[in-house]
Amino acid sequence: MRWWLIPIVAALSWFAFTLTPLWALYDLAHAVQSDDAAYVEKHVNFRALRLSLTRQLTTAIKIGSADLEPRDRQRINDIAGALALPLAETLVTPQTTIDLLNDGWPQSLDLPNPPQLFVSNGLRADRISRLAAFYTVSEMRGFRTVVVAVPPNRKGPQQFKLRLRLHNWSWRLIDVELSETLRSRIAEKVARLAAKRGGEQGSDTPAAEDPPLRPGTGP
């Protein structure tokens, strides 16, 4: 082999490798659209996803309490992790993951949809052109991790991101970075409910069996 072929072969090999997450993304999108919970359960690392969502929601709850009275804000900041954990547990199941990936919004939670959220915003890769769009916004981080923005053509507070990691020659979803809009809506509602409940009960610790936000509940 001529020496100048080596960098060409290396570049082509790397390009081919960067395409492999797209096939995993295509299969995941198909599972989401067909409501295939069994596939999602096998190809999502729920432990990693739970930890990530807990961190995101803890931070968001602290930010969302900024407009409250100082006493309520301090109380919520102190218990933000305890508020976020049951909510993350609610979101991390095969069915709620499908619900979230379908359009970036968990309909199972009692939250008002943002006015500009459309069904086409979710994880859809039923055409080559859609896969190509996902490829243009994908970001390889080393050999084992890739981050993909969803939807690829709608940047801003509505966009969320997926992180996939290579494990045993298979790409698995390990993280969903919630959209800015969703984090804000959840945080604001949790902060309001926690402040209201704290005022009514005079307690600084939420009951473990009664999280401040869960499916089908509202203020």
Side-chain angles (χ1 to χ4, degrees):
M1 179 182 294
R2 297 180 183 273
W3 68 267
W4 51 266
L5 287 177
I6 295 177
I8 295 177
V9 171
L12 290 175
S13 298
W14 174 250
F15 174 71
F17 177 74
T18 62
L19 293 176
T20 58
L22 292 181
W23 307 123
L25 198 67
Y26 173 82
D27 289 338
L28 181 60
H30 179 72
V32 169
Q33 297 308 310
S34 60
D35 200 28
D36 188 351
Y39 180 92
V40 171
E41 187 171 10
K42 291 180 180 178
H43 293 83
V44 175
N45 185 331
F46 287 106
R47 180 178 180 276
L49 182 57
R50 183 182 297 106
L51 292 173
S52 172
L53 290 179
T54 301
R55 287 194 296 266
Q56 291 182 61
L57 293 173
T58 298
T59 301
I61 289 170
K62 291 180 179 180
I63 295 174
S65 65
D67 294 334
L68 299 177
E69 294 295 327
R71 180 176 178 276
D72 289 333
R73 181 170 63 250
Q74 182 60 49
R75 186 177 64 84
I76 291 174
N77 286 343
D78 291 341
I79 62 174
L83 295 172
L85 182 58
L87 183 54
E89 292 284 355
T90 299
L91 291 172
V92 181
T93 69
Q95 197 58 53
T96 53
T97 299
I98 290 174
D99 181 27
L100 178 60
L101 297 182
N102 185 50
D103 58 6
W105 199 264
Q107 277 75 24
S108 58
L109 294 183
D110 184 27
L111 292 169
N113 287 347
Q116 297 183 345
L117 188 69
F118 303 103
V119 174
S120 60
N121 278 5
L123 181 60
R124 283 162 175 75
D126 53 344
R127 297 194 301 269
I128 295 296
S129 59
R130 288 186 183 272
L131 283 175
F134 280 117
Y135 183 78
T136 61
V137 295
S138 64
E139 178 185 352
M140 293 294 300
R141 298 184 179 178
F143 289 93
R144 298 182 55 206
T145 304
V146 61
V147 177
V148 183
V150 182
N153 58 347
R154 191 185 178 99
K155 295 182 179 180
Q158 305 279 349
Q159 193 177 63
F160 60 102
K161 294 182 179 180
L162 309 180
R163 186 189 303 267
L164 290 84
R165 178 169 294 170
L166 188 63
H167 177 72
N168 291 335
W169 302 104
S170 176
W171 291 95
R172 300 180 67 196
L173 179 67
I174 64 168
D175 187 13
V176 177
E177 182 181 322
L178 303 178
S179 69
E180 180 182 337
T181 301
L182 177 56
R183 291 197 307 270
S184 297
R185 292 290 178 86
I186 291 176
E188 290 169 3
K189 186 165 187 176
V190 169
R192 288 197 306 270
L193 289 173
K196 179 180 178 181
R197 194 162 296 176
E200 293 174 349
Q201 299 177 357
S203 172
D204 287 343
T205 304
E209 69 277 10
D210 190 20
L213 181 62
R214 53 186 178 179
T217 64

